[in-house]
């Protein structure tokens, strides 16, 4: 039995005041899904202290453990703030900051070494989908991590399918399109696949969450824009039962 998971990725949005108001307004009463809030680094402590009914996630980490890496944040530092989950391989990191499969895998294992659960993001661009390459791109992105992971390491992972063309565009993959890819991902994961939670991400809102969550291989969502509205995010969490 996979417990549904809904994660809020605030991206580079928010302020102290925003976090204060969001946490005061977020009502997770009766929510059975596991809920994760991933604020920008400076607000981790504030969210850790005030959040009720959700756990803390981060949006990025360094592959290094410590030392002369100006501007970087290590897995151990995140753990110091009770961070449980960390997003790796988000398409914005891949495309805007040049993070390739190898670096994403290094970050994945850096997180796991400190006991954090990576939320590994995979997904194709519109161009790749139109060229019929969606599944091969996703297989390559997965393989970069699974090819280096032991059976045990593959237990502690959440995977998010985020088609790049659906992120922040208002264009969601249809439930059938998303299910097809989720099913493919589960197959690629082999014997361990049935226990791994697979999230969908890309313009998830309270209005489309139910039909996505109704798909057999969709175990929750990684939510961007709609996670900046406590009421809307709470509704999405309530939908994932
Ligand atoms: P949107 O929900 O804003 O499309 O963002 C999705 C996403 O990138 C979550 O990580």
């Amino acid at each position: 039995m996979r417990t549904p998971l809904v994660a809020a990725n605030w991206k580079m949005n928010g302020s102290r005041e925003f976090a204060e108001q969001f946490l005061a307004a977020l009502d997770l009463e009766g929510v059975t899904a596991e809920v994760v809030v991933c604020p920008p680094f400076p607000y981790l402590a504030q969210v850790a202290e005030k959040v009720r009914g959700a756990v803390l996630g981060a949006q990025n980490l360094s592959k290094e453990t410590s030392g002369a890496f100006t501007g970087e944040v290590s897995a151990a530092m995140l753990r110091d703030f009770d961070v449980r989950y960390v997003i790796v391989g988000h398409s914005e990191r891949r495309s805007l900051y040049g993070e390739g499969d190898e670096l994403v895998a290094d970050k994945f294992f850096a997180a796991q070494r400190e006991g954090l659960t990576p939320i590994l993001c995979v997904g194709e661009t519109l161009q790749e989908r139109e060229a019929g390459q969606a599944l091969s791109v996703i297989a390559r992105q997965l393989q970069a991590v699974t090819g280096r992971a032991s059976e045990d390491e593959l237990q502690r992972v959440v995977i998010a399918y985020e088609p790049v063309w659906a992120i922040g565009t208002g264009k969601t993959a249809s439930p059938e399109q998303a299910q097809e890819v989720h099913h493919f991902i589960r197959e690629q994961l082999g014997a361990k696949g049935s226990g791994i939670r697979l999230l969908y991400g890309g313009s998830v809102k309270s209005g489309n969450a139910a039909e996505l969550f109704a798909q057999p291989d969709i175990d929750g969502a990684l939510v961007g824009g709609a996670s900046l509205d406590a009421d809307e995010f709470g509704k999405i969490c309530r939908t994932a039962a």
Side-chain angles (χ1 to χ4, degrees):
M1 195 51 199
R2 301 183 296 267
T3 306
L5 189 155
V6 181
N9 176 9
W10 288 1
K11 307 193 179 181
M12 197 172 74
N13 293 295
S15 62
R16 272 158 79 116
E17 197 186 339
F18 167 82
E20 185 77 31
Q21 290 173 356
F22 179 94
L23 295 169
L26 183 63
D27 175 11
L28 296 176
E29 187 74 34
V31 169
T32 53
E34 186 173 6
V35 178
V36 182
V37 178
C38 307
F41 292 137
Y43 307 115
L44 283 173
Q46 188 188 357
V47 174
E49 193 185 325
K50 298 269 174 65
V51 77
R52 298 281 171 271
V55 299
L56 200 57
Q59 298 174 21
N60 187 23
L61 83 165
S62 171
K63 74 178 172 97
E64 308 294 344
T65 44
S66 67
F69 302 101
T70 302
E72 293 289 286
V73 172
S74 72
M77 291 169 183
L78 296 178
R79 214 192 39 177
D80 232 5
F81 281 89
D82 284 334
V83 169
R84 309 275 178 82
Y85 291 88
V86 59
I87 299 170
V88 298
H90 192 280
S91 69
E92 287 149 17
R93 304 269 352 148
R94 291 181 192 263
S95 68
L96 303 173
Y97 299 96
E99 295 193 5
D101 290 335
E102 191 80 0
L103 177 57
V104 171
D106 288 344
K107 290 186 173 196
F108 178 99
F109 295 110
Q112 282 203 334
R113 278 195 297 275
E114 286 296 333
L116 305 178
T117 300
I119 300 177
L120 171 68
C121 299
V122 297
E124 80 287 2
T125 63
L126 184 59
Q127 204 182 14
E128 288 162 343
R129 173 159 283 263
E130 285 174 347
Q133 295 166 348
L135 298 183
S136 61
V137 167
I138 290 160
R140 190 205 72 220
Q141 291 170 337
L142 279 176
Q143 176 61 28
V145 171
T146 57
R148 279 170 56 182
S150 66
E151 292 257 305
D152 199 40
E153 285 165 327
L154 266 190
Q155 299 269 60
R156 290 182 295 117
V157 54
V158 172
I159 295 176
Y161 168 53
E162 298 206 309
V164 179
W165 48 272
I167 296 178
T169 57
K171 234 190 221 181
T172 327
S174 70
E176 295 73 26
Q177 271 174 327
Q179 167 58 24
E180 184 198 2
V181 176
H182 278 237
H183 182 70
F184 173 77
I185 293 172
R186 209 176 289 291
E187 275 181 350
Q188 297 286 303
L189 294 169
K192 294 279 181 244
S194 61
I196 295 175
R197 288 177 294 179
L198 306 183
L199 313 183
Y200 170 78
S203 299
V204 175
K205 305 184 231 3
S206 61
N208 59 21
E211 55 182 12
L212 288 161
F213 296 161
Q215 300 301 314
D217 288 301
I218 299 184
D219 305 313
L222 181 54
V223 187
S227 77
L228 296 169
D229 178 330
D231 192 43
E232 177 71 1
F233 183 64
K235 279 187 194 153
I236 297 170
C237 295
R238 230 172 291 286
T239 307

